[in-house]
Amino acid sequence: MKFIRIQVLALFSTILLFNCGNKEEKMKKGFTYESTNSQVKSKNSKDEDAVANVVLTSNDLMQFNTKEIKVEVGQKVKLTLRHLGKLDINVMGHNFVLLKSGTDIVAFAIKAANERDNEYIPKDSQDIIAHTNLIGGGQVTIIEFEAPAAGTYQFLCSFPGHYAMMSGKFIVE
Ligand SMILES: [Cu+2]
């Protein structure tokens, strides 16, 4: 009788273990979607290492706080864009647009400038790896995306006329 009970217990533990493993797997797969949940983020340190937390700020002087962002191959990038200024989105709107390698930044910026109704993001663009919403003074926007393959990419703010001052290198190494 005792022996059977132990066996049952062992079986129960195995099921429990299996379920946990499954859950973990699901969390990894659905990370982009679920990561706004702080419970997922603090699940284990391994997951946190896999996320590059990038905080980019912008202001009323048409500037980002950096011209260079570095992340590691295979990382998920959580990019937070803050607008520390006070000006309205229609006057001093900012976004972050990461371009695929080989994209002509000037040609892209000209195309984007015509897309006012689409927050200056060209519709159906094949040139973009990731982009945020357009924000005005005092606003914050967050995106998450997979770091592209190792290499150097360009990022910009696609609000008309901003790319000359608001652009930089996004390095994956
Ligand atoms: Cu801008």
Side-chain angles (χ1 to χ4, degrees), residues 6-16:
I6 288 167
Q7 266 195 328
V8 168
L9 206 74
L11 186 72
F12 186 67
S13 319
T14 310
I15 289 168
L16 211 72

Side-chain angles (χ1 to χ4, degrees), residues 1 6 20 24 45 48 56 91 100 123 125 129-130 138 144 147 156 166 168:
M1 195 60 195
I6 288 167
C20 280
E24 199 84 349
S45 59
E48 286 193 352
L56 192 61
V91 181
K100 287 184 184 168
K123 287 177 201 90
S125 176
I129 294 169
E144 293 193 0
L156 72 151
M166 301 184 77

Side-chain angles (χ1 to χ4, degrees), residues 4-171:
I4 290 169
R5 214 181 284 162
I6 288 167
Q7 266 195 328
V8 168
L9 206 74
L11 186 72
F12 186 67
S13 319
T14 310
I15 289 168
L16 211 72
L17 217 74
F18 183 73
N19 276 345
C20 280
N22 245 358
K23 206 175 173 190
E24 199 84 349
E25 203 56 40
K26 269 182 212 156
M27 277 180 182
K28 269 179 200 158
K29 277 180 195 157
F31 193 83
T32 305
Y33 176 71
E34 290 189 66
S35 62
T36 44
N37 184 338
S38 60
Q39 274 180 323
V40 176
K41 266 196 295 188
S42 58
K43 193 68 191 166
N44 64 48
S45 59
K46 231 182 182 177
D47 276 354
E48 286 193 352
D49 287 348
V51 177
N53 262 301
V54 177
V55 179
L56 192 61
T57 65
S58 55
N59 60 27
D60 283 343
L61 299 173
M62 217 190 286
Q63 294 164 326
F64 283 132
N65 63 323
T66 183
K67 293 240 163 213
E68 195 174 289
I69 296 168
K70 272 188 189 172
V71 303
E72 288 169 29
V73 173
Q75 277 188 316
K76 290 216 165 81
V77 181
K78 180 182 176 188
L79 186 136
T80 304
L81 173 64
R82 292 179 188 281
H83 192 318
L84 304 178
K86 289 191 164 63
L87 293 176
D88 190 80
I89 190 168
N90 296 312
V91 181
M92 189 57 67
H94 297 313
N95 62 12
F96 165 91
V97 182
L98 181 60
L99 299 178
K100 287 184 184 168
S101 58
T103 303
D104 182 335
I105 190 169
V106 177
F108 178 87
I110 290 167
K111 226 189 302 172
N114 293 318
E115 300 283 350
R116 189 180 177 174
D117 294 343
N118 202 40
E119 296 193 331
Y120 303 109
I121 300 298
K123 287 177 201 90
D124 306 321
S125 176
Q126 302 297 305
D127 301 329
I128 298 171
I129 294 169
H131 71 86
T132 65
N133 294 331
L134 191 71
I135 56 172
Q139 294 183 307
V140 182
T141 181
I142 300 173
I143 52 164
E144 293 193 0
F145 58 95
E146 305 266 347
T152 300
Y153 303 80
Q154 289 180 296
F155 69 87
L156 72 151
C157 168
S158 67
F159 192 93
H162 285 199
Y163 75 95
M165 287 194 48
M166 301 184 77
S167 57
K169 286 178 182 165
F170 186 97
I171 301 164

